[in-house]
Amino acid sequence: MSTGEAPALTDAELRLLQALVYQECGMHFDERRITFLQDRLQRRLKECGLDSFYGYYRLLISQQGKQELARLVENLTVNETSFFRNKAQLDLFQNEVLEELLGRKRERRDHSLRIWSAGCSSGQEPYTLAMLVADSLSYHNLRHPFPSPSPLPKPLVPPPWHLEILASDISYSVLRTAEEGSYTEAQMSPVDYGFRLRYFDKAGAHYVIKKTVKELVHFDFHNLKTEYLPQRNDIIFCRNVMMYFDEAEQRRLIEKFYRCLNPNGYIFVGHAESLLGLTQKFQMLHSNSGTAYRRVEVTM
Ligand SMILES: C[S@@+](CC[C@H](N)C(=O)[O-])C[C@H]1O[C@@H](n2cnc3c(N)ncnc32)[C@H](O)[C@@H]1O
């Protein structure tokens, strides 16, 4: 039992716990972030009422410790996010990538679109994508009307298009917040009033994502460290997640993303992240300060 005094974390214990976290979720704590790891470990140890880090490690690797391991990982994630994050990149997404993809799909009479927000945090990223894609599909249908009459009231996604946005994270608590889809005035600051009017309801001091938008987004738990990840995506957004992994884990993740994408699919990574030097399997697109990567198809 805890004696009240926080025990010292030895170098050997730190290395053990660091390796366990890496093995579990790919997060790598280098010199710059080691104090953060130490601090979170101290907190969890205290919460569990344990008096040695080695004892805590033993708990984490035991069958009964699975829940605590998930809680520790949750405590180690950085969940910073915002609506319309990296505007230049979203312009590239909407004006060039979606345009190309919708045109290509229309020619093949394939009207399905599947986008995955991997590491979605509290939902601002997938909801931003839902709003942008809904607008793009309506505009696309205006220019290329489909012969059959549109049902009334007009659905957010015009038929025959079918939009599916999968949003995943390793933290259950951010997934719960995302599913609620309720945001404060401060969180709404990047959302202009046109989007607020069309896609949000007001509930007291909060803005709540409309049901029709929520229906486009499906939230689920996925650990990017595992091999089993969602397949057949047209576009993957994985922004500000890879930066917490080391190079080996980043390479593994990019390989997995390659397999999770449809041919000629796209990846968007964070402003401070890049695929350059990590893979030859994606081609970089750059426009007005926005960057995306397109899957390269190998021709035999
Ligand atoms: C900084 S947030 C980025 C949110 C959003 N993509 C954005 O750019 O605004 C990083 C998210 O990645 C999640 N994450 C970290 N490691 C993960 C893993 N191994 N599998 C799935 N999600 C992970 C965290 O829980 C966190 O919510």
Side-chain angles (χ1 to χ4, degrees), residues 184-254:
T184 62
E185 187 66 58
Q187 289 172 310
M188 289 293 290
S189 69
V191 185
D192 72 28
Y193 76 86
F195 283 102
R196 293 187 193 206
L197 286 174
R198 280 178 298 139
Y199 296 122
F200 291 83
D201 291 319
K202 195 84 198 291
H206 284 70
Y207 286 83
V208 183
I209 294 279
K210 276 193 194 291
K211 190 166 169 275
T212 47
V213 182
K214 274 191 186 170
E215 282 167 357
L216 301 175
V217 186
H218 172 73
F219 291 97
D220 209 348
F221 174 95
H222 280 287
N223 180 354
L224 295 172
K225 175 81 186 186
T226 63
E227 285 305 315
Y228 177 75
L229 291 173
Q231 303 288 307
R232 292 189 299 280
N233 300 285
D234 295 302
I235 302 174
I236 297 174
F237 273 76
C238 184
R239 302 190 301 172
N240 309 298
V241 181
M242 269 183 3
M243 61 200 282
Y244 300 107
F245 297 176
D246 68 353
E247 195 179 309
E249 200 54 52
Q250 291 181 3
R251 285 180 194 273
R252 277 195 286 275
L253 185 60
I254 294 164

Side-chain angles (χ1 to χ4, degrees), residues 108-137:
R108 294 202 320 251
R109 294 177 198 281
D110 168 8
H111 294 99
S112 68
L113 197 59
R114 193 170 143 89
I115 300 175
W116 176 24
S117 163
C120 65
S121 190
S122 39
Q124 287 91 328
E125 180 177 273
Y127 289 135
T128 298
L129 299 178
M131 295 186 274
L132 292 175
V133 180
D135 279 4
S136 283
L137 284 173

